[in-house]
Amino acid sequence: MNEKEPYYITESKQLCRERGMDPDIIASPKVKMTELELASKRKSYSEILSVVSFFSKKLLDSLKGTPILIVISDEKGFLLEMVGDETIKSTVEQFGIQIGSLFTQEDTGTNVISLALQQKHPIRLIGEDHFHSFLHGIACYGAAFHYTDENSLLGSVCLMMPIALQNPLFLTMLAHVVDSIERELLLRKQNRKLNIMNQIMLSRTRNGIVITDEKGITTEFNDFAEEISPFYKNEVIGRCIYESGITGEYFKRVLQHEEKFENVELKYTGKKGNLIVCLFDAQPIYENDRVIGAFGQFRDITDRYLIEEKYNYLAYHDDLTNLPNRRYFQKELQAFIKANKKKKQSLAVLYLDLDRFKVINDTFGHSKGDHLLKEVAKRLSSCISENSQLARMGGDEFIITITNFKNPQEITKLADKILAKFSKPFRLKSIEIHTSVSIGIAIYPDYPLNLEEFMIYADNAMYQAKEQGKNGYAIYTDELIHLLTEKITLESDLKRALNENEFFLQYQPQICSKTGEIVGVEAFFLESS
């Protein structure tokens, strides 16, 4: 029993009759592309043709020795490619079937290309299924292929062979080939979209992006990475990131140990010799739980860093002399005291106060006073060595710290050197000013001492130097603190007694020991208690 003819073949043959076609006369394509049009079309279809040709050749390889011709068309029916048996190819070319020809039912009658594009499933035309008799000795199988994500028609793939080789399995094989073609085309399309998005992301972002493969070979290096990097893109792409002295070790740990890094501050020199400061992130790239590469990004924080550095400088430096200020000194001394609990180190402080500075300031004005302080800072700076540091505490007070000294004589030598510097006058434009300095010296003891107590020692020593006549130095000792304590206690007791009227006046005569006569009177100011 003969199989019923599919409706679309019946309708196609009816169309041929309605158009007055003669089945015994060869119907050749009437429209053909120019060479320029064909070249343009093939160029725009290059990716599609490469995919379809790849799978078509795999099909031919699996049917090696079988005379089969594979023809590929675009979505309109223009023939773009013919591969396979040369005998069949030359035969169909004699019928006017050539690359660039347009296949339509109106021009070429019932043909596999037009019907494959028309139907949504693979079709076959065997022998007399064709309207024209010159095709009755040929078996044809055809199927359209699409972008499956949007069901947009792209073209068709058709098989032509002698009718004696017809086999329903060819239709199944063709269906599998088309399925592979569509999956590959969709994958490439998605990859193109991802690539476009990736390029947009890489080009638009203000972050430097670096991507490597699993071996550390750099595969992506965006424009902003090139802008802030010491290297150009062509110096980086294709090279192992491990060679980088900036990020090589981080990427190595990411790829070999699957570590992640966030907000790592990197400092390096840019192409123009400028400082670049970045926050660096890096993490592995996975595929099916396997590391296939690494992703790194740089966020340029140079401007912010420089602003913070400037702020920190201003916060910890005196704006008149540019020396470290009281805040900086206290921070450093606190750090020393904390570290000294674990590792004993030597430390001494020289507390300096200018003599008669108020008189100079009041006499010559504040501008001259400021000028003098700058000159004093310069002279003191010239006395500083590697293990010492100078700071301005405010007003006319300066301080010098000395660490890791071996002999206390180093400290007194420094004090003598400073006093010698002040023996020469300071020239402020046309004015010559003579001033001296009083220095209090405190050496950090072997037992723990907090910052406030230590500074009291230095301050008391400095005031002792002033009481001794200025222009000299005094070293804090236990005896000094005892004397100062007694003095302060006495001053306090005297003030209290005066306020409470505890003093009274008493007279006592002075008598000559030889004659017994009164020769004078002594007066005593006594405390009643």
Side-chain angles (χ1 to χ4, degrees), residues 315-330 350-352 354 357 361 366 369-374 376-378 380-381 389-401 455:
Y316 289 104
H317 285 77
D318 172 51
D319 57 356
L320 177 65
T321 62
N322 288 324
L323 292 175
N325 60 13
R326 178 186 294 273
R327 185 183 290 109
Y328 180 87
F329 166 76
Q330 290 177 339
L350 280 69
Y351 204 130
L352 296 82
L354 295 184
F357 180 72
N361 220 15
H366 290 287
D370 288 346
H371 191 176
L372 175 61
L373 290 172
K374 290 180 182 180
V376 167
K378 290 178 183 178
L380 291 175
S381 296
Q389 189 168 36
L390 171 66
R392 182 187 175 204
M393 299 296 282
D396 60 344
E397 295 179 346
F398 296 82
I399 200 159
I400 296 174
T401 56
M455 289 307 299

Side-chain angles (χ1 to χ4, degrees), residues 178-369:
V178 168
D179 181 60
S180 297
I181 290 170
E182 288 181 335
R183 281 189 284 110
E184 179 64 21
L185 287 173
L186 180 60
L187 180 62
R188 292 195 181 195
K189 181 181 179 182
Q190 290 171 339
N191 285 340
R192 279 199 307 277
K193 287 182 178 178
L194 287 173
N195 186 45
I196 291 170
M197 291 177 66
N198 184 45
Q199 288 182 37
I200 292 173
M201 182 192 76
L202 293 177
S203 62
R204 294 287 181 86
T205 182
R206 293 302 294 169
N207 291 345
I209 304 294
V210 180
I211 299 174
T212 76
D213 65 12
E214 70 276 12
K215 294 180 180 179
I217 303 301
T218 307
T219 57
E220 291 286 352
F221 192 75
N222 74 343
D223 292 343
F224 193 67
E226 183 178 34
E227 182 179 326
I228 63 175
S229 168
F231 309 104
Y232 292 99
K233 186 177 293 187
N234 60 0
E235 297 175 306
V236 175
I237 295 293
R239 293 187 62 179
C240 184
I241 197 70
Y242 299 164
E243 298 173 9
S244 170
I246 300 171
T247 59
E249 188 60 31
Y250 294 105
F251 275 103
K252 191 173 185 179
R253 289 165 63 181
V254 167
L255 290 168
Q256 295 183 359
H257 305 290
E258 299 184 37
E259 294 186 44
K260 294 182 180 180
F261 298 95
E262 290 185 6
N263 297 326
V264 177
E265 187 175 277
L266 300 178
K267 299 177 186 176
Y268 54 89
T269 304
K271 297 184 189 70
K272 299 178 180 178
N274 55 316
L275 173 68
I276 301 290
V277 185
C278 289
L279 289 181
F280 172 68
D281 304 332
Q283 64 183 51
I285 300 173
Y286 294 97
E287 183 177 84
N288 297 326
D289 297 326
R290 184 176 69 88
V291 176
I292 62 167
F295 171 87
Q297 69 171 347
F298 304 80
R299 299 188 300 283
D300 186 2
I301 60 164
T302 305
D303 291 343
R304 188 182 83 188
Y305 175 84
L306 293 176
I307 290 171
E308 289 177 353
E309 283 290 291
K310 184 176 181 180
Y311 170 79
N312 289 335
Y313 182 86
L314 292 175
Y316 289 104
H317 285 77
D318 172 51
D319 57 356
L320 177 65
T321 62
N322 288 324
L323 292 175
N325 60 13
R326 178 186 294 273
R327 185 183 290 109
Y328 180 87
F329 166 76
Q330 290 177 339
K331 179 174 73 74
E332 290 295 303
L333 200 57
Q334 284 281 25
F336 172 86
I337 292 172
K338 184 177 180 181
N340 200 56
K341 293 177 181 178
K342 297 179 180 179
K343 184 181 179 182
K344 296 296 182 181
Q345 300 180 69
S346 55
L347 170 72
V349 166
L350 280 69
Y351 204 130
L352 296 82
D353 186 270
L354 295 184
D355 299 327
R356 299 172 49 254
F357 180 72
K358 185 177 184 305
V359 175
I360 295 170
N361 220 15
D362 293 342
T363 304
F364 298 103
H366 290 287
S367 61
K368 288 291 190 295

Side-chain angles (χ1 to χ4, degrees), residues 122 141 167-177:
Y141 302 87
N167 191 318
L169 288 176
F170 283 120
L171 205 59
T172 303
M173 292 175 69
L174 184 60
H176 286 311
V177 168

